[in-house]
Amino acid sequence: MKKKPLLIALCLACLTLPVSASAAIKALIIDGQNNHRVWPETTQLMKQYLEGSGLFSVDVATTPGKGKDMSGFKPDFAKYDVVISNYNGDPWPEATRKAFEAFVKKGGGFVTVHAANNAFPEWQAYNEMIGIGGWGGRDERSGPYVRYWEGKILRDLTPGRGGSHGAEHEFLVEVRQSEHPIVKGLPAKWLHTQDELYDRLRGPANNLTVLATAFATPARGGSGNHEPMLMTIAYGKGRVFHTTLGHGLISQQCLGFKTTLLRGAEWAATGKVTQKVPKDFPTAAATSVAE
């Protein structure tokens, strides 16, 4: 009978131990070049969010600078459950591209953040992974525009540039697939902090699901369409989460961005979401800034 208190104490101690790094979801953030000059700060903010959740251990792989020798950039993708791209710059070496394709196709998770969908316009497999993207010479040859209108996803083959945005502003994000694990439990509409609202994105759009959209108002220089903001894409056995949000620190400090990034990364890595929606998540009337 005397052993019971000791046994109970040991069990309670085990319950209070932190999750070991070996048990965490292993994430790799890739950066090093980006048309958004605050990429060092946004990488560190996302790393802080991921590690602060208690679910992820995070490494960062930084490429050489623009125009530098890229031949030594060879991350070991196989070590990770999910790769998060904060990268838009020079092409990776062919061997690195092939290794990344194999990683995702075999079941690795991938998260593309904001300007990462501008990257690699000539890399077909990457464009299949991200579904739709912008700039870099993308046009009707890249695939259709993807928009949401009157309850339906529209694939528009009208000729024209791929990628644009109006002036930065706050805007409503509207959930379109409320039962998907990434957005389940989120308000139907929530106000995002000041950001670039990407519009006129186009690409292969295969195996793509639009989770949330925003209206790109012409009053701010937008397309006048409901544009995809959050998406998922199936690539082989891999799961891809694509967020167009997150231009800079102001937009990434939105609790909506933080929450969907964390939930999207967990889903890409594991196929499920265990995180609860924060009580102070933005509403349709008010933004909310992450601590």
Side-chain angles (χ1 to χ4, degrees), residues 193-210:
T193 54
Q194 177 180 312
D195 205 346
E196 291 177 341
L197 198 168
Y198 276 4
D199 59 29
R200 298 182 176 92
L201 299 180
R202 62 190 318 159
N206 296 322
N207 305 309
L208 180 146
T209 300
V210 177

Side-chain angles (χ1 to χ4, degrees), residues 75-95:
D76 186 358
F77 299 116
K79 289 172 52 179
Y80 300 96
D81 302 303
V82 59
V83 172
I84 299 160
S85 180
N86 194 27
Y87 182 85
N88 178 27
D90 294 340
W92 297 345
E94 183 177 0

Side-chain angles (χ1 to χ4, degrees), residues 29 42-52 58-60:
I29 300 176
T42 55
T43 286
Q44 289 306 309
L45 186 59
M46 290 189 286
K47 185 175 188 289
Q48 175 187 319
Y49 288 161
L50 292 159
E51 292 180 334
V58 184
D59 292 333
V60 177

Side-chain angles (χ1 to χ4, degrees), residues 104-170:
V104 180
K105 189 171 289 184
K106 291 178 181 178
F110 177 39
V111 176
T112 171
V113 178
H114 194 62
N117 75 18
N118 302 181
F120 311 128
E122 304 301 326
W123 182 5
Q124 183 59 29
Y126 184 82
N127 286 288
E128 292 283 351
M129 289 181 219
I130 66 172
I132 53 177
W135 294 273
R138 288 177 171 91
D139 58 21
E140 60 273 13
R141 296 167 296 180
S142 306
Y145 293 121
V146 175
R147 291 156 175 157
Y148 185 91
W149 196 260
E150 296 184 349
K152 296 180 180 179
I153 298 297
L154 302 180
R155 286 169 166 78
D156 181 358
L157 288 168
T158 302
R161 61 179 173 170
S164 62
H165 62 77
E168 291 183 48
H169 64 290
E170 295 180 355

Side-chain angles (χ1 to χ4, degrees), residues 9 33 52 61 151 156 177 261:
Q33 297 179 40
D156 181 358
Q177 294 286 336
L261 173 72

Side-chain angles (χ1 to χ4, degrees), residues 259-281:
T259 301
T260 53
L261 173 72
L262 293 177
R263 290 166 71 95
E266 184 183 9
W267 175 85
T270 70
K272 59 184 179 181
V273 174
T274 61
Q275 304 164 64
K276 294 181 179 179
V277 178
K279 292 181 180 179
D280 53 346
F281 192 86

